[in-house]
Amino acid sequence: MRLRTSAFVTTLAMATLLGGVVQWATDGQQITPSRPTGLSELSAQRFAGLNLVTYPVAVVLLIFWWLLGHTPYGRRLYAVGSNSRAAMLIGIRADRLVFSAFAVSGLIAGLTGSLYLARMGGSAADGGAGMMFPALAAVFLGASAVQPGRYNIAGTVLGLLFVAACVSGLTLSGVAAWVEPVFNGAALTVAVCMAALLTRRRTGPSAL
């Protein structure tokens, strides 16, 4: 952050590095508890027809929908994301804001890992590697829905449901193994292009 490096590239590099460390630490083996744990038992329970692990996700989504769209913190975060230099000129502490955003993102990632462990009953050494590109595609698709040209929670949820439905459909139809990564890459490419075009249309020629 202080070195002004690209957050996206740095995050991608660290994800690759840590993935390698996990592979080394586990010898690439599946991690499965020898007996049912509280988490796995929790994932087997349902309420109102939905798995219990669904409800923490819904609560987090509602919290961040309110936080980003209805609080000064969210407006400042959008301002820093749009133009950090301009945000600092009007008195926003961009460094602290970005640090807090990364810290909260790490917390949510930890919660997500716990819910994934509960849902699957175990974990593979590279369990999260295949989720990165679908997740990015969902975020960028979200910027072309609900609030075109702006990343938002509701649009991201719609993008996530679209990507998940497509991937599940491909899996159930028994397509070849190469089809899913091709779809993920194509979806991400289209989503990035759409988000960029809509952002430029919203902000005007100065964004070019």
Side-chain angles (χ1 to χ4, degrees), residues 5 26 28 58 123 148 165 167-168 193:
T5 57
T26 61
S123 178
V167 171
S168 297
C193 293

Side-chain angles (χ1 to χ4, degrees), residues 48-195:
L50 295 175
N51 194 291
L52 282 184
V53 299
T54 305
Y55 293 97
V57 176
V59 170
V60 169
L61 288 173
L62 288 173
I63 289 173
F64 278 90
W65 168 80
W66 171 78
L67 187 68
L68 295 176
H70 300 82
T71 66
Y73 176 84
R75 290 191 288 272
R76 291 179 187 135
L77 203 58
Y78 274 120
V80 171
S82 299
N83 191 323
S84 59
R85 187 176 296 275
M88 286 189 289
L89 289 175
I90 63 173
I92 295 176
R93 300 295 298 271
D95 287 348
R96 289 186 179 181
L97 205 63
V98 172
F99 180 84
S100 69
F102 275 108
V104 173
S105 296
L107 177 64
I108 298 302
L111 174 63
T112 303
S114 299
L115 293 177
Y116 180 76
L117 178 64
R119 188 73 180 89
M120 304 304 294
S123 178
D126 58 349
M131 301 179 187
M132 180 173 61
F133 286 104
L136 290 173
V139 171
F140 282 106
L141 282 172
S144 61
V146 183
Q147 294 178 325
R150 182 171 182 170
Y151 301 105
N152 60 91
I153 296 295
T156 299
V157 172
L158 291 176
L160 182 62
L161 292 175
F162 171 77
V163 172
C166 291
V167 171
S168 297
L170 290 173
T171 302
L172 292 174
S173 62
V175 297
W178 59 266
V179 175
E180 184 175 332
V182 168
F183 168 79
N184 289 335
L188 179 57
T189 302
V190 172
V192 169
C193 293
M194 290 176 60

